[in-house]
Amino acid sequence: MSMSDRPILIKKVKKVIGGGHHGGAWKVAYADFVTAMMAFFLLMWLINTTDPEQKRGIAEYFAPASVSQTTSGSGGILGGTALGDDGAKGSGSQSVISELAPEAPPDAPPEAGQSQNLAAASEAALREEIARREAAEFSSAAESLRQAMQSMPELAELSKQLIIDQTPEGLRIQLVDQEGRSMFEQNSARPNPRAQLLLRTISKVITQLPNRISVTGHTSAAPGSSRATGPNDWTLSSARANASRLILQAAGVDPDRVYQVSGKAGSDPLYPDDPTLAGNRRIAIVLLREAPVLPTDTSL
């Protein structure tokens, strides 16, 4: 037989990787078994450590999802739900919480202590807000009056006889005498032209605010007198306060806003160290702070 007539033999070599039947497939099955056992023991531990309410919530959590109408934008299955609504899986735990802490009925009366605390807090907040607004309005009114005094040449010189400050009673505007510059004629209740001009200017600021006003007259002690208040000073101070009121009303101030007109003579000097100073003779106009209108206590 020649070389060309010999049959051709093909030898195939099969390489076995991993040791044949001793490969690693069993490791996967063993890992699944260990995982299942661990899950089983965890389940047993949870059953022993949870109370009935928690078990009910866990059972509802793993319950099959149900299709229900939601408050989503589209209303469909995949439309999403609002954050505050119970979802298909979230209803279990949230229902447990609702059962543990139910809401109070709408007609349940509040506790006495709680209602008193709320009433006191609301009243304090109301008073604080009113005081803050009044302080802002008084500051604006004082600034407006100062600007008016500076913008008018005939009032610029008289600005030295005007004192503006805030007191516990309210915004106080005082017209004070100076040496050689009196607001009234001597021993008379008639205001001179300077005082009338100042009072008309003050009335423009008063009309911008709704507060009631009080007008008080003051006198000074006579030089060389041992008494700060003379026998006629009470009548004179009251008459000057009333004359100032009439000018304010003639300039546009509503008469119903006048709360009090009084005279204190020399009993309340601006300069107590020297009751004879001209600055003690003055007219004080106070825009009174208004107390908040509070609801009446119907329980009394």
Side-chain angles (χ1 to χ4, degrees):
M1 182 182 294
S2 62
M3 296 294 293
S4 60
D5 295 335
R6 291 181 179 180
I8 300 173
L9 300 177
I10 299 175
K11 184 180 181 180
K12 295 183 178 180
V13 180
K14 185 177 181 182
K15 295 182 179 181
V16 179
I17 301 175
H21 63 279
H22 297 292
W26 64 273
K27 297 178 182 180
V28 178
Y30 181 73
D32 293 341
F33 173 75
V34 172
T35 302
M37 292 299 295
M38 182 177 64
F40 173 74
F41 285 117
L42 285 176
L43 178 61
M44 297 298 293
W45 176 77
L46 286 174
I47 292 176
N48 292 329
T49 57
T50 54
D51 55 26
E53 295 293 344
Q54 293 174 337
K55 292 177 183 178
R56 188 183 309 169
I58 295 174
E60 292 180 0
Y61 180 82
F62 287 101
S66 59
V67 179
S68 59
Q69 186 67 25
T70 67
T71 58
S72 63
S74 61
I77 299 176
L78 302 179
T81 58
L83 294 177
D85 296 335
D86 290 347
K89 292 185 177 181
S91 60
S93 59
Q94 188 164 352
S95 299
V96 173
I97 296 175
S98 299
E99 292 177 4
L100 294 178
E103 294 183 358
D107 56 347
E111 297 182 359
Q114 182 180 3
S115 60
Q116 291 178 358
N117 293 337
L118 292 176
S122 60
E123 180 179 347
L126 177 60
R127 292 183 182 276
E128 183 178 354
E129 178 63 19
I130 291 179
R132 186 187 64 81
R133 291 186 180 183
E134 280 187 342
E137 292 176 352
F138 287 162
S139 298
S140 177
E143 186 63 26
S144 299
L145 184 56
R146 294 188 182 97
Q147 291 179 357
M149 298 290 293
Q150 297 297 329
S151 61
M152 300 177 63
E154 61 273 18
L155 293 177
E157 185 64 25
L158 297 178
S159 62
K160 300 178 181 179
Q161 297 182 245
L162 203 64
I163 300 176
I164 307 173
D165 59 353
Q166 291 195 34
T167 67
E169 293 180 332
L171 180 64
R172 183 175 61 181
I173 305 172
Q174 298 187 95
L175 287 72
V176 300
D177 284 2
Q178 289 184 334
E179 292 295 338
R181 286 182 175 273
S182 176
M183 293 288 102
F184 293 85
E185 299 177 3
Q186 186 175 5
N187 295 327
S188 173
R190 178 181 177 82
N192 58 31
R194 289 191 300 271
Q196 295 180 23
L197 182 59
L198 281 176
L199 289 170
R200 284 193 293 267
T201 304
I202 293 172
S203 67
K204 297 178 181 179
V205 176
I206 295 177
T207 54
Q208 296 176 2
L209 297 176
N211 304 67
R212 296 178 298 173
I213 64 172
S214 68
V215 186
T216 307
H218 300 266
T219 59
S220 62
S225 175
S226 59
R227 295 194 306 174
T229 302
N232 298 325
D233 288 346
W234 295 100
T235 302
L236 180 61
S237 60
S238 300
R240 288 180 174 180
N242 190 53
S244 301
R245 174 190 63 84
L246 294 175
I247 294 176
L248 292 174
Q249 292 181 188
V253 177
D254 190 350
D256 293 336
R257 293 180 55 189
V258 180
Y259 173 72
Q260 184 180 24
V261 178
S262 60
K264 291 188 176 182
S267 61
D268 185 17
L270 185 61
Y271 303 100
D273 295 339
D274 191 354
T276 63
L277 287 179
N280 293 314
R281 298 190 298 270
R282 66 197 189 279
I283 296 294
I285 303 170
V286 180
L287 279 79
L288 300 173
R289 300 185 187 275
E290 299 294 339
V293 179
L294 301 177
T296 57
D297 190 358
T298 56
S299 63
L300 297 179

